[in-house]
Amino acid sequence: MNPFPAEAIARSRVLVVGDVMLDRYWFGEVDRISPEAPVPVVRVARREDRLGGAANVARNVAALGGQATLVGIVGADEAGEAIGRLAGQAGVQADLVADTEHPTTLKMRVLGRQQQLLRVDFEQHPALSTLDDLDARVARHLAQHDVVVLSDYAKGALDRVESLIGQARAAGVPVLVDPKGDDYTRYRGATLVTPNRSEMQQAVGRWNSESQLTERAQRLRADLDLEALLVTRSEQGMTLFTADGREHVDAQAHEVFDVSGAGDTVLATLAAMRGIGQTWVESMAWANRAGGIVVGKLGTSIVTAAELAGEST
């Protein structure tokens, strides 16, 4: 494989739009069961906040050396402030809408002995006026970027995804979408959509053979007017469908420790590579390598340019 294109990646300008969230981890020790209920008592020893959702995509772009701009919605609260602070520390230019009526999307995980014991989610859909603000900010940023990533976690920031895709197409900027749900008509006109295996099954049903998957994927790609459709398939690797046909790469042989945020890393790598003009096949190969690295890390993590460069030597 070619060496990692670090110099070129530094010129890649990626606009990430979507559901921003904060991943909060409480690490502790478990040595007894509660007398109040049959549950473990976790004595918290360390706390850590990480960028999640669309914010993690932007963080991964920056970690690869690219220029990342993040547009999303947070609450006017402590978690929202933490996202802004962490984005700045990660080298991400954050342009966040503060919704005074709704909280920042927060996923709080409690871990004992490196095992997740509990996750508590705080989330609420944003107000319509907040979406108006988000649309306006995207319009201001489009012309200064090479590629747009829409990161959909069904938290509400992309409720108007059709108009965002239309804006990007009108500006001549490629759009990469990480989808959610089974209604893919919302993503019609995007350049690339990247469902994982279960998301693809939601969209087209279960397939019994590779030929059946190819037939359904190409039909979906044509119906949605996509340039490319990339299905990420965990241990089965990744399969790319374009007008030229089907391309596949096998999964990297790394120990899987935690798949949290792996799709974000894959999407960020695709965007950064596409932003410098790499082909879909080349971009998929780099994204596959990045995904293989990140699943060996605990929690929502990143892959750095140095790690990818090491993989390519």
Side-chain angles (χ1 to χ4, degrees), residues 102-135:
H102 300 97
T104 299
T105 299
L106 170 66
K107 295 181 179 180
M108 189 172 73
R109 298 169 175 89
V110 180
L111 297 92
R113 297 177 183 173
Q114 302 299 305
Q115 296 295 316
Q116 188 174 151
L117 304 176
L118 177 69
R119 194 180 96 181
V120 182
D121 289 5
F122 302 87
E123 60 186 61
Q124 200 168 339
H125 266 51
L128 293 179
S129 59
T130 307
L131 294 177
D132 292 339
D133 196 344
L134 182 137
D135 289 349

Side-chain angles (χ1 to χ4, degrees), residues 182-193:
D182 56 7
D183 180 15
Y184 278 35
T185 60
R186 303 173 62 234
Y187 308 121
R188 180 173 283 114
T191 311
L192 171 80
V193 175

Side-chain angles (χ1 to χ4, degrees), residues 28-44 110 112 117:
E29 293 298 323
V30 178
D31 51 24
R32 65 190 180 98
I33 300 298
S34 171
E36 303 165 358
V39 294
V41 174
V42 181
R43 181 168 50 84
V44 175
V110 180
L117 304 176

